[in-house]
Each structure stands twice: as C-alpha cells, then as structure tokens.
Amino acid sequence: KYLMEGTSFRELAGVSGDAMIGCFNYEGKTALYVVNYDTEYAQKINLDFAGKYNVTVTQDAETKHVSGSSLELTLAAGNSALVVFE
C-alpha cells in the first residue's frame, strides 16, 4: 500500500538491490523485514543507515549481532531477513 522511493525512513537512509522492505515497531524498536524481490536469483541487498547502529539480524534460523552504518545481506531467491535495531 505504501511505496517510498528515494527517501529515508527512520534509521534506514537507503537501499540498493531489488528488495521489498517492511518497517514496523517490534517491542518498541524499529524492525525491518527485508525480502529478496527476485524469485529466481539470489542477490546482495545493501542497507544504508542514517548513523551507526547495533542491529540483530535473523536469517535462515540463525541470529547474529552487527554494528555499523550499513549492512549487506545475501538473500536466496525469495528469501528474507529480519533486522531489529537495538
């Protein structure tokens, strides 16, 4: 229903790659649900943040903690990752 092109939203300043991203409140924190929009090929999705943040990334039933001003995700065709800002 909502499409934001060429703008930032909350902690997310930019995206490169063919992705669909949902942004929502997750227990009082910003969470991004990042989906590889390509259903045939894997791809790298780069998220650029508005500053340096600590995030928790859950992908393929594994969780890792990352700190930085950007995040690169490698997603299989149609796969997704949950990114929660701490």
Side-chain angles (χ1 to χ4, degrees), residues 11-12 21-24 26 29-35 45 47 49 53-59 64 66 70-73 75 80-86:
E11 292 91 338
L12 185 62
I21 301 174
C23 181
F24 56 96
Y26 180 76
K29 302 173 185 175
T30 298
L32 305 174
Y33 191 65
V34 183
V35 179
I45 308 294
L47 306 177
F49 305 140
Y53 292 97
N54 296 318
V55 296
T56 300
V57 180
T58 303
Q59 180 181 354
K64 65 180 178 179
V66 180
S70 64
L71 176 65
E72 180 180 88
L73 299 169
L75 297 175
S80 62
L82 177 67
V83 179
V84 179
F85 288 82
E86 300 301 325

Side-chain angles (χ1 to χ4, degrees), residues 32-50:
L32 305 174
Y33 191 65
V34 183
V35 179
N36 177 357
Y37 202 66
D38 191 324
T39 58
E40 294 184 32
Y41 299 101
Q43 67 171 317
K44 293 185 187 299
I45 308 294
N46 292 300
L47 306 177
D48 295 317
F49 305 140

